[in-house]
Amino acid sequence: MNTFESAIGYSWFILTGAVATVELTLLSCLLALILAMLAGIALTSDQIAVRAVTRIYVEIFRGTSVFVQLFAAYFVLPFVGVSLSPLQSGVLALGLNGGAYGAEVVRAALNAVGRDQREATIALNLTRWQALWWVILPQAVVFMLPSFGNLAIELMKGTAVASLITVSELTFQAQVVRGQTGDTAMPFLLILVIYLLIASALISFVRWLERRFGRGIVSANT
Amino acid sequence: MGLHVASRAPDCQPIIEFRNVEKSYGSLKVLEQLSFSVKAGEHLALIGPSGSGKTTILRILMTLESVTAGDVIVNGVCLNHEQRGGKQVPSSEAHLRRMRGAFGMVFQHFNLFPHKTALQNVALAPVLTGSLSKAAAKERALQMLENVGLADKAHEYPSRLSGGQKQRVAIARALALQPKILLLDEITSALDPELVEEVLNVITNLRNETDMTMLLVTHEMGFAKDFSDRVLFFERGKIVEEGPPSEIFLSPHHERTKSFLRKIIAAGHRL
Ligand SMILES: Nc1ncnc2c1ncn2[C@@H]1O[C@H](COP(=O)(O)OP(=O)(O)O)[C@@H](O)[C@H]1O
Ligand SMILES: [Mg+2]
């Protein structure tokens, strides 16, 4: 009947929101990952100025709400001549926020790699960057991945706030359907399932990375 | 003949010289006014009670520690200072990297890279320094592993090797950059007794078949006796007695040396 057909139509409409949600998630995860790596490495620098500047970034973006950061990116940046699309604003705010949390994870993981490993790189006359890239980071990544997985899920859940600046992602689409049909249960049950699916895809990906990087480090006793 | 003598002349100079070296951690003096030198090609054993500063000496040479005072000269060049603008300044990272090239070090706890196979552990530094092509470096690394009897373990991760095998990989890794001076810090003391011999055999081969200068810190007195040309006995950061192994081990002059050797033998070590 008519309601059945419209239900299909609305569901499809909501599903199109998944594209924006996935896009927001992947792009902001990518930005967050790059920022977390750079900031995390900078936090272990022996240059005090480098550490100080990075510390300020981390504390600002951890200490303020992601709502405020999102609104600043969308509504305030235009005043300084930077106009971003809603999607770009979302990626920027979520990426900067996730990067600040990730930086602490990276710093802790780098410090968790033993001193003996650093000393071995010195004895082999590697440069600091060679040591970081070939010896320290590959081992630190194993410590980072579980936390990164959690951060990625947090970030994915956080994409819903982008609905507030009219990005037509899942939550936004569900609100639209709810406004037009008055039905709350169906749209929100549907996006709940989709969020869960995206989350489990993310988790599987991180698990795969953990196995990939854990070779030789995590004992293969399974 | 004259030419030949001239080309050998540098060998007569010490390859390593400690001049009044002091090392302190806070108020703890670890090395005191320490002076000694090592000739090129010499096999030196450093013995003494735990905490006497033996490891610190090797770590200073490997540039893992700085000195508090005094100078360390390697191949006629100061390790802890460099000349810049006519002045002596503390060594820059670049100067330290130049100096490090002379050394290889094997650690008590192997310090292998767990995420790399035996072959990758050995090949990493030669590949990164770019002195050899990747293929040539791999080939040489395999040769190194073969020299320590581990060609068949080339593709194993360290976690799958025994302690003795790990230490042999670590020796191959330290040799891959062809150092002039090899530093060996209690390389068998983390091993189960039955695995000690396979590692010491590798060192004996190196001693007999290369002209590397070797500094060995050990509690294996029997091995030190066969290995060394000269023995330094340390206590509290000072050399108490030094001499050829026959003298130090069989007829030591100093009471401290005698009682140290008695204790070591009582603890079950062979002489
Ligand atoms: N990083 C450090 N900080 C403080 N004290 C240290 C440090 N490293 C070594 N020491 C101290 O220096 C002394 C000499 O140590 P070491 O050279 O390792 O002796 P050995 O190898 O002869 O046993 C010891 O008393 C040790 O506790
Ligand atoms: Mg020691």
Side-chain angles (χ1 to χ4, degrees):
Chain A
M1 248 203 47
N2 209 3
T3 47
F4 180 73
E5 269 172 28
S6 66
I8 299 264
Y10 284 138
S11 301
W12 180 251
F13 178 76
I14 288 173
L15 273 174
T16 60
V19 176
T21 295
V22 169
E23 206 173 0
L24 260 178
T25 305
L26 293 184
L27 290 176
S28 49
C29 275
L30 187 65
L31 179 61
L33 181 65
I34 293 169
L35 289 172
M37 284 292 180
L38 294 177
I41 291 168
L43 284 175
T44 64
S45 164
D46 51 7
Q47 313 256 340
I48 201 162
V50 173
R51 286 204 310 271
V53 169
T54 314
R55 181 51 66 192
I56 290 169
Y57 155 65
V58 170
E59 295 310 332
I60 286 180
F61 281 88
R62 285 199 313 178
T64 60
S65 144
V66 71
F67 286 91
V68 178
Q69 292 160 21
L70 184 72
F71 287 164
Y74 190 54
F75 296 114
V76 180
L77 281 185
F79 288 111
V80 294
V82 183
S83 290
L84 298 178
S85 73
L87 182 76
Q88 289 168 336
S89 305
V91 169
L92 183 66
L94 291 166
L96 281 165
N97 190 265
Y101 281 96
E104 282 298 334
V105 173
V106 172
R107 185 188 62 81
L110 290 174
N111 288 340
V113 177
R115 194 185 151 85
D116 61 323
Q117 294 289 303
R118 256 167 256 271
E119 293 187 343
T121 66
I122 294 174
L124 291 172
N125 213 357
L126 305 192
T127 67
R128 271 163 195 249
W129 290 108
Q130 286 171 339
L132 183 67
W133 185 253
W134 295 99
V135 176
I136 309 300
L137 261 182
Q139 296 181 65
V141 164
V142 180
F143 298 122
M144 294 175 203
L145 279 172
S147 303
F148 273 177
N150 291 337
L151 282 180
I153 304 282
E154 284 301 317
L155 229 156
M156 190 271 296
K157 292 192 282 187
T159 57
V161 301
S163 63
L164 298 174
I165 56 166
T166 74
V167 178
S168 4
E169 46 67 72
L170 284 170
T171 306
F172 185 85
Q173 302 295 76
Q175 299 273 24
V176 170
V177 169
R178 177 169 168 254
Q180 290 189 0
T181 64
D183 185 2
T184 304
M186 188 282 288
F188 282 95
L189 270 175
L190 185 58
I191 66 169
L192 189 110
V193 171
I194 300 171
Y195 276 124
L196 280 175
L197 286 176
I198 299 174
S200 57
L202 277 176
I203 290 171
S204 316
F205 178 59
V206 173
R207 289 273 151 76
W208 178 77
L209 286 175
E210 283 175 24
R211 280 196 303 276
R212 166 85 182 61
F213 281 95
R215 247 185 267 159
I217 302 175
V218 184
S219 57
N221 51 5
T222 43
Chain B
M1 254 346 252
L3 252 181
H4 194 69
V5 169
S7 73
R8 289 196 57 85
D11 289 1
C12 302
Q13 290 212 328
I15 191 167
I16 296 171
E17 198 181 348
F18 274 59
R19 289 187 192 155
N20 298 318
V21 170
E22 299 218 8
K23 173 70 186 174
S24 307
Y25 294 105
S27 61
L28 178 71
K29 258 205 181 135
V30 175
L31 300 179
E32 263 184 78
Q33 291 290 322
L34 181 64
S35 297
F36 69 92
S37 57
V38 185
K39 286 195 300 248
E42 200 175 11
H43 307 118
L44 197 68
L46 290 76
I47 64 169
S50 159
S52 58
K54 308 176 300 290
T55 296
T56 304
I57 291 167
L58 299 196
R59 290 173 58 83
I60 286 171
L61 287 168
M62 198 61 257
T63 74
L64 298 171
E65 301 286 352
S66 56
V67 301
T68 311
D71 282 317
V72 178
I73 317 288
V74 177
N75 272 321
V77 182
C78 186
L79 186 77
N80 47 308
H81 285 113
E82 65 182 308
Q83 300 289 334
R84 211 179 307 138
K87 272 197 292 191
Q88 271 214 332
V89 294
S91 295
S92 63
E93 180 67 16
H95 181 69
L96 290 178
R97 289 204 64 227
R98 276 194 299 276
M99 300 302 289
R100 268 173 214 150
F103 294 98
M105 182 160 180
V106 183
F107 299 88
Q108 184 173 356
H109 297 286
F110 332 125
N111 298 17
L112 290 179
F113 305 134
H115 61 301
K116 302 219 166 272
T117 63
L119 184 67
Q120 290 167 337
N121 264 278
V122 180
L124 182 69
V127 169
L128 290 182
T129 53
S131 52
L132 288 174
S133 74
K134 209 171 164 172
K138 277 255 158 77
E139 200 167 309
R140 179 149 102 209
L142 204 54
Q143 183 62 50
M144 295 285 174
L145 284 175
E146 206 174 308
N147 291 348
V148 297
L150 287 174
D152 57 325
K153 301 287 182 190
H155 301 290
E156 295 284 3
Y157 287 96
S159 56
R160 310 244 325 202
L161 301 176
S162 73
Q165 292 169 335
K166 282 185 205 168
Q167 196 57 298
R168 285 186 281 152
V169 173
I171 294 168
R173 182 176 73 171
L175 295 175
L177 288 171
Q178 300 180 317
K180 291 263 183 304
I181 305 163
L182 189 61
L183 309 171
L184 304 162
D185 188 11
E186 300 214 26
I187 60 170
T188 57
S189 58
L191 300 180
D192 293 334
E194 72 271 21
L195 302 177
V196 167
E197 196 178 335
E198 65 187 54
V199 172
L200 294 183
N201 286 342
V202 169
I203 300 300
T204 302
N205 285 343
L206 283 174
R207 178 204 190 281
N208 295 338
E209 285 160 25
T210 70
D211 53 8
M212 260 188 307
T213 307
M214 296 167 82
L215 274 66
L216 172 86
V217 172
T218 189
H219 280 110
E220 300 276 338
M221 294 305 148
F223 184 71
K225 185 160 128 272
D226 296 337
F227 165 88
S228 61
D229 307 321
R230 187 156 59 103
V231 183
L232 306 186
F233 172 64
F234 284 87
E235 207 174 55
R236 298 203 194 126
K238 287 184 183 153
I239 298 173
V240 175
E241 185 166 353
E242 72 167 280
S246 53
E247 186 182 311
I248 296 285
F249 290 116
L250 302 179
S251 51
H253 299 298
H254 206 286
E255 195 45 50
R256 305 295 315 165
T257 318
K258 286 178 198 165
S259 76
F260 171 74
L261 290 173
R262 268 199 303 276
K263 262 184 224 148
I264 284 271
I265 291 163
H269 287 268
R270 291 165 297 121
L271 197 73

